[in-house]
Every structure is written in structure tokens, then in C-alpha cells.
Amino acid sequence: MQSEAPTVDAYLAEVPADRRAALQEIRRLCKELLIGFEESMAYGMPGYSRDGTIEVGFASQKHNIALYVLRTDVLNPYRDRFSPSAMGKGCIRYANPRKIDFDLIETMLKQTAQSRGPVC
């Protein structure tokens, strides 16, 4: 679900309370690890771009939290850790916020910051 929120703070204020802490942690990791990236609202969700290209984003969807890791060289090696139904072309869908592997997210964000591979 796309948001009309003008800022990431406003976006986080409107997400369901049971997802807010997980989304705030994803944001914290993005801000800490994606050095040189710009945070913005894009496509109705928070996004992180470098050189004008969005490489990471996250969203509270109807049935899940979606994490978009758009560098294929970063996301593809981890596909086997998720069921096919939890994966999209550049997206990981977490149905349960309490089961998010923040260590894996941290690893992928570090790799994204170092990567210049293709964006899907």
C-alpha cells in the first residue's frame, strides 16, 4: 500500500503499531550503513538512493513488511534462505515482524553500500 506521507517520520507514524518497531530498526540500519545514500519517500515508501538510483526501500504492506534490496548481486545469494512465496524480484516479504533476521539485513545493507552491481 502506497503512502501519501511526505516524510519517513510521517510514514512511520502511520504504520500499524505492531510493525513500527521493526520498521524503525530497518530505518536505523539503513541510515547507519548506507553512507552516502539519500533517504526519501519514493513510490509511497521510504527509499535510499545513491547517484539518483533507489537501491533499498521498505514498506508496510497489507500482509507483510517488504524489504527491497534492489542490487541483484546482493539479494540473489540469499534467496535460498526464504520460501519462494516470500521473495520477489528485488523484495523480501516478512509476514511476521518478530521473525525478521536483522543480522542478515545488516549484512545485505553493508554489501549494498559496497556494490555497484546491477539494480533490478
Side-chain angles (χ1 to χ4, degrees), residues 46-85:
Y48 298 84
S49 60
R50 172 172 52 180
D51 301 327
T53 301
I54 294 178
E55 299 183 35
V56 175
F58 61 85
S60 177
Q61 302 291 354
K62 185 174 183 178
H63 297 290
N64 60 61
I65 289 175
L67 174 66
Y68 297 88
V69 179
L70 301 175
R71 291 259 175 221
T72 56
D73 61 322
V74 172
L75 183 60
N76 286 344
Y78 300 103
R79 287 188 175 278
D80 63 343
R81 295 189 183 202
F82 302 95
S83 70
S85 64

Side-chain angles (χ1 to χ4, degrees), residues 2 26 29 47 51 65 69 82 93 98-99 106 111:
Q2 290 191 348
I26 292 170
L29 289 169
D51 301 327
I65 289 175
V69 179
F82 302 95
R93 296 177 201 95
R98 293 177 301 282
K99 293 187 177 182
E106 181 175 345
Q111 292 174 351

Side-chain angles (χ1 to χ4, degrees), residues 94-107:
Y94 296 97
N96 184 341
R98 293 177 301 282
K99 293 187 177 182
I100 295 174
D101 183 347
F102 291 105
D103 291 334
L104 178 58
I105 291 173
E106 181 175 345
T107 297

